[in-house]
Amino acid sequence: MHIGIDYKGIWVAGTRYKLKDVVKYGGGLWICSTAHSAGAASLRQDESNWTEWVPGFEYEAEWS
């Protein structure tokens, strides 16, 4: 763990985030660049407050 970085789990609307909070959204991890309350319906709509920290990959359907 790095000092000041706090993993919060999956991004949730209506949550208060502080600088350096890290959330999972889709397949990637995003780090908060501006303290704020997430009022948008998705992180993509709230993206001005976030920076993609670790790009990810996520399947959209079942593998067969």
Side-chain angles (χ1 to χ4, degrees):
M1 179 171 156
H2 295 337
I3 295 174
I5 294 176
D6 192 8
Y7 180 68
K8 297 294 185 180
I10 297 173
W11 181 91
V12 178
T15 302
R16 177 85 179 141
Y17 292 106
K18 66 183 183 315
L19 187 64
K20 295 186 180 179
D21 279 350
V22 173
V23 297
K24 181 176 182 345
Y25 186 79
L29 295 177
W30 294 74
I31 190 162
C32 184
S33 56
T34 306
H36 69 288
S37 290
S42 71
L43 185 136
R44 289 289 181 195
Q45 294 172 333
D46 193 36
E47 196 169 340
S48 64
N49 297 307
W50 298 91
T51 302
E52 190 171 23
W53 195 43
V54 178
F57 180 76
E58 186 171 76
Y59 292 102
E60 294 185 13
E62 280 189 41
W63 181 82
S64 61

